[in-house]
Protein backbone atom coordinates (compact mmCIF):
# COMPACT_ATOMS: atom_id res chain seq x y z
CA UNK A 1 0.00 0.00 0.00
CA UNK A 2 1.39 3.36 -0.95
CA UNK A 3 2.11 5.68 1.95
CA UNK A 4 0.05 8.83 2.12
CA UNK A 5 0.52 12.00 4.08
CA UNK A 6 -2.25 12.99 6.47
CA UNK A 7 -1.37 16.58 5.70
CA UNK A 8 -1.98 15.92 2.01
CA UNK A 9 -5.41 14.56 2.80
CA UNK A 10 -6.11 17.66 4.85
CA UNK A 11 -5.58 19.86 1.80
CA UNK A 12 -8.15 18.07 -0.36
CA UNK A 13 -11.65 19.52 -0.71
CA UNK A 14 -13.24 22.14 1.56
CA UNK A 15 -11.31 22.98 4.71
CA UNK A 16 -14.20 21.88 6.88
CA UNK A 17 -12.71 20.43 10.05
CA UNK A 18 -16.08 19.55 11.51
CA UNK A 19 -16.92 17.25 8.62
CA UNK A 20 -13.43 15.73 8.65
CA UNK A 21 -13.72 15.07 12.37
CA UNK A 22 -17.15 13.51 11.81
CA UNK A 23 -15.70 11.16 9.21
CA UNK A 24 -12.78 10.23 11.46
CA UNK A 25 -15.07 9.61 14.46
CA UNK A 26 -17.41 7.42 12.41
CA UNK A 27 -14.48 5.57 10.85
CA UNK A 28 -12.96 4.91 14.28
CA UNK A 29 -16.23 3.37 15.48
CA UNK A 30 -16.65 1.35 12.28
CA UNK A 31 -13.07 0.05 12.34
CA UNK A 32 -13.47 -0.94 16.00
CA UNK A 33 -16.49 -3.06 15.07
CA UNK A 34 -15.42 -4.60 11.77
CA UNK A 35 -11.65 -4.10 11.56
CA UNK A 36 -9.52 -1.87 9.40
CA UNK A 37 -8.51 -4.40 6.75
CA UNK A 38 -12.08 -5.61 6.11
CA UNK A 39 -13.59 -2.13 5.83
CA UNK A 40 -13.78 -0.25 2.54
CA UNK A 41 -14.44 3.42 1.87
CA UNK A 42 -17.82 2.36 0.49
CA UNK A 43 -18.61 0.70 3.83
CA UNK A 44 -17.69 3.91 5.64
CA UNK A 45 -19.81 6.00 3.28
CA UNK A 46 -22.87 3.85 3.98
CA UNK A 47 -22.27 3.90 7.74
CA UNK A 48 -21.82 7.68 7.87
CA UNK A 49 -24.57 8.50 5.39
CA UNK A 50 -22.25 10.31 2.98
CA UNK A 51 -21.51 9.45 -0.61
CA UNK A 52 -18.20 7.80 -1.36
CA UNK A 53 -17.30 10.75 -3.60
CA UNK A 54 -17.96 13.19 -0.76
CA UNK A 55 -15.58 11.32 1.57
CA UNK A 56 -12.90 11.49 -1.14
CA UNK A 57 -13.16 15.28 -1.03
CA UNK A 58 -11.67 15.12 2.44
CA UNK A 59 -9.54 11.96 2.37
CA UNK A 60 -7.84 10.56 -0.69
CA UNK A 61 -7.90 6.95 0.55
CA UNK A 62 -8.84 4.64 3.41
CA UNK A 63 -5.23 4.78 4.54
CA UNK A 64 -5.46 8.58 4.83
CA UNK A 65 -8.35 8.10 7.28
CA UNK A 66 -6.37 5.43 9.10
CA UNK A 67 -3.42 7.84 9.26
CA UNK A 68 -5.56 10.40 11.04
CA UNK A 69 -6.86 7.84 13.54
CA UNK A 70 -3.34 6.53 14.10
CA UNK A 71 -1.96 10.05 14.53
CA UNK A 72 -4.62 10.79 17.15
CA UNK A 73 -3.74 7.66 19.12
CA UNK A 74 -0.01 8.34 18.96
CA UNK A 75 -0.59 11.93 20.04
CA UNK A 76 -2.35 10.62 23.16
CA UNK A 77 0.70 8.51 24.01
CA UNK A 78 3.05 11.41 23.35
CA UNK A 79 0.98 13.75 25.51
CA UNK A 80 1.03 11.20 28.34
CA UNK A 81 4.80 10.89 28.07
CA UNK A 82 5.43 14.64 27.99
CA UNK A 83 3.11 15.22 30.95
CA UNK A 84 4.86 12.51 32.97
CA UNK A 85 8.30 13.90 32.11
CA UNK A 86 7.26 17.45 33.01
CA UNK A 87 6.02 16.33 36.44
CA UNK A 88 9.51 15.53 37.74
CA UNK A 89 12.81 17.33 38.08
CA UNK A 90 16.20 16.04 36.98
CA UNK A 91 17.12 14.23 33.79
CA UNK A 92 17.56 10.78 35.42
CA UNK A 93 14.04 10.78 36.83
CA UNK A 94 12.64 12.18 33.59
CA UNK A 95 14.23 9.28 31.73
CA UNK A 96 12.72 6.77 34.15
CA UNK A 97 9.29 8.35 33.71
CA UNK A 98 9.69 8.28 29.94
CA UNK A 99 10.34 4.52 29.90
CA UNK A 100 7.50 3.77 32.32
CA UNK A 101 4.89 5.94 30.62
CA UNK A 102 5.66 4.87 27.07
CA UNK A 103 5.11 1.22 27.99
CA UNK A 104 1.95 1.90 30.01
CA UNK A 105 0.33 4.21 27.46
CA UNK A 106 1.28 2.06 24.48
CA UNK A 107 -0.30 -0.98 26.09
CA UNK A 108 -3.44 0.94 26.96
CA UNK A 109 -4.04 2.53 23.58
CA UNK A 110 -2.79 -0.20 21.27
CA UNK A 111 -4.53 -3.11 22.96
CA UNK A 112 -7.73 -1.80 24.50
CA UNK A 113 -9.42 -2.45 21.16
CA UNK A 114 -8.20 -5.39 19.08
CA UNK A 115 -9.88 -4.12 15.92
CA UNK A 116 -8.28 -0.70 16.13
CA UNK A 117 -4.99 -2.45 16.83
CA UNK A 118 -5.04 -3.48 13.16
CA UNK A 119 -4.56 0.18 12.23
CA UNK A 120 -1.57 0.53 14.53
CA UNK A 121 -0.12 -2.70 13.16
CA UNK A 122 -0.57 -1.59 9.55
CA UNK A 123 0.87 1.83 10.33
CA UNK A 124 3.95 0.37 11.99
CA UNK A 125 4.51 -2.40 9.46
CA UNK A 126 4.17 -0.12 6.43
CA UNK A 127 5.90 2.89 7.99
CA UNK A 128 3.04 5.33 7.60
CA UNK A 129 3.99 8.97 7.94
CA UNK A 130 2.13 9.29 11.26
CA UNK A 131 4.32 6.65 12.91
CA UNK A 132 7.53 8.04 11.42
CA UNK A 133 6.71 11.53 12.71
CA UNK A 134 5.82 10.12 16.14
CA UNK A 135 9.09 8.23 16.41
CA UNK A 136 11.02 11.36 15.44
CA UNK A 137 9.26 13.41 18.12
CA UNK A 138 9.95 10.77 20.78
CA UNK A 139 13.62 10.73 19.77
CA UNK A 140 13.64 14.53 19.97
CA UNK A 141 12.22 14.44 23.50
CA UNK A 142 14.78 11.82 24.48
CA UNK A 143 17.59 13.95 23.11
CA UNK A 144 16.32 16.97 25.07
CA UNK A 145 16.43 14.95 28.31
CA UNK A 146 19.94 13.75 27.54
CA UNK A 147 21.08 17.29 26.78
CA UNK A 148 19.66 18.50 30.09
CA UNK A 149 21.42 15.68 31.92
CA UNK A 150 24.73 16.57 30.32
CA UNK A 151 24.40 20.24 31.17
CA UNK A 152 23.62 19.39 34.80
CA UNK A 153 26.48 16.90 35.07
CA UNK A 154 24.21 13.86 35.46
CA UNK A 155 25.29 12.16 32.22
CA UNK A 156 28.61 11.59 30.45
CA UNK A 157 29.50 13.88 27.56
CA UNK A 158 32.08 11.88 25.58
CA UNK A 159 29.68 9.94 23.35
CA UNK A 160 28.07 12.00 20.55
CA UNK A 161 24.61 13.09 21.65
CA UNK A 162 22.81 11.78 18.57
CA UNK A 163 24.53 8.40 18.91
CA UNK A 164 23.50 8.12 22.56
CA UNK A 165 19.91 9.12 21.81
CA UNK A 166 19.67 6.58 18.98
CA UNK A 167 21.04 3.78 21.14
CA UNK A 168 18.56 4.46 23.95
CA UNK A 169 15.73 4.74 21.44
CA UNK A 170 16.61 1.27 20.16
CA UNK A 171 16.26 -0.01 23.73
CA UNK A 172 12.78 1.55 23.87
CA UNK A 173 11.74 0.47 20.38
CA UNK A 174 10.31 -2.97 21.30
CA UNK A 175 7.86 -1.18 23.59
CA UNK A 176 6.92 1.48 21.04
CA UNK A 177 6.33 -0.75 18.03
CA UNK A 178 2.90 -2.47 18.21
CA UNK A 179 3.97 -5.48 16.16
CA UNK A 180 6.85 -6.13 18.57
CA UNK A 181 5.10 -5.03 21.75
CA UNK A 182 2.58 -7.86 21.50
CA UNK A 183 5.44 -10.34 22.02
CA UNK A 184 6.69 -8.59 25.17
CA UNK A 185 3.62 -8.81 27.41
CA UNK A 186 5.46 -10.95 29.96
CA UNK A 187 8.08 -8.23 30.45
CA UNK A 188 6.00 -5.05 30.47
CA UNK A 189 5.66 -4.91 34.27
CA UNK A 190 9.35 -5.01 35.07
CA UNK A 191 10.97 -3.90 31.81
CA UNK A 192 10.66 -0.10 32.26
CA UNK A 193 12.46 -0.11 35.63
CA UNK A 194 15.14 -2.62 34.62
CA UNK A 195 15.89 -1.02 31.26
CA UNK A 196 15.91 2.56 32.50
CA UNK A 197 18.25 1.58 35.36
CA UNK A 198 20.61 -0.10 32.91
CA UNK A 199 20.56 2.93 30.61
CA UNK A 200 21.18 5.32 33.50
CA UNK A 201 24.19 3.31 34.66
CA UNK A 202 25.62 3.53 31.16
CA UNK A 203 25.10 7.31 31.15
CA UNK A 204 26.95 7.92 34.43
CA UNK A 205 29.79 10.47 34.06
Amino acid sequence: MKNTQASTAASRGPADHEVRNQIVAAATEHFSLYGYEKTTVSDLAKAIGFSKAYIYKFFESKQAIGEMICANCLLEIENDVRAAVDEVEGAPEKLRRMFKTIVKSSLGLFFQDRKLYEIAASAAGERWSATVAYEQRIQGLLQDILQQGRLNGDFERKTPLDETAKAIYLVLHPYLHPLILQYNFDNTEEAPAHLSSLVLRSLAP
Side-chain angles (χ1 to χ4, degrees), residues 40-90:
T40 66
V41 175
S42 295
D43 294 331
L44 290 177
K46 292 177 183 178
I48 300 171
F50 291 160
S51 69
K52 183 177 177 181
Y54 188 66
I55 290 179
Y56 277 129
K57 287 184 178 181
F58 296 90
F59 295 96
E60 63 185 18
S61 65
K62 182 180 77 170
Q63 181 178 320
I65 301 173
E67 283 259 16
M68 184 68 72
I69 295 171
C70 182
N72 290 341
C73 289
L74 294 176
L75 183 60
E76 286 189 50
I77 296 175
E78 182 182 348
N79 287 341
D80 287 346
V81 173
R82 290 186 181 277
V85 167
D86 289 342
E87 285 177 355
V88 295
E89 298 293 333

Side-chain angles (χ1 to χ4, degrees), residues 61-135:
S61 65
K62 182 180 77 170
Q63 181 178 320
I65 301 173
E67 283 259 16
M68 184 68 72
I69 295 171
C70 182
N72 290 341
C73 289
L74 294 176
L75 183 60
E76 286 189 50
I77 296 175
E78 182 182 348
N79 287 341
D80 287 346
V81 173
R82 290 186 181 277
V85 167
D86 289 342
E87 285 177 355
V88 295
E89 298 293 333
E93 187 57 31
K94 287 180 182 292
L95 196 62
R96 290 186 188 278
R97 285 293 187 95
M98 185 177 190
F99 270 74
K100 180 179 179 179
T101 308
I102 279 179
V103 174
K104 180 180 178 180
S105 294
S106 295
L107 284 171
L109 284 174
F110 284 145
F111 299 110
Q112 66 185 357
D113 190 318
R114 295 299 297 179
K115 294 293 186 182
L116 288 181
Y117 166 73
E118 292 180 11
I119 301 177
S122 295
E126 298 172 14
R127 302 293 293 163
W128 290 4
S129 60
T131 61
V132 173
Y134 167 69
E135 291 175 359

Side-chain angles (χ1 to χ4, degrees), residues 19-52:
V19 175
R20 284 176 55 78
N21 290 338
Q22 184 180 352
I23 294 172
V24 170
T28 301
E29 181 178 353
H30 202 80
F31 290 152
S32 69
L33 292 173
Y34 303 105
Y36 173 75
E37 296 296 341
K38 294 181 179 180
T39 301
T40 66
V41 175
S42 295
D43 294 331
L44 290 177
K46 292 177 183 178
I48 300 171
F50 291 160
S51 69
K52 183 177 177 181

Side-chain angles (χ1 to χ4, degrees), residues 146-195:
L146 291 174
Q147 182 65 39
Q148 178 184 330
R150 290 186 172 199
L151 291 174
N152 293 338
D154 294 317
F155 300 153
E156 61 88 15
R157 305 181 184 182
K158 294 181 180 179
T159 310
L161 183 63
D162 59 342
E163 180 181 320
T164 303
K166 182 64 175 179
I168 298 174
Y169 176 78
L170 290 175
V171 175
L172 269 174
H173 191 251
Y175 301 93
L176 282 166
H177 196 296
L179 291 176
I180 304 175
L181 181 59
Q182 64 180 323
Y183 300 113
N184 287 284
F185 284 151
D186 293 339
N187 302 317
T188 52
E189 286 292 330
E190 57 187 16
H194 290 335
L195 293 177

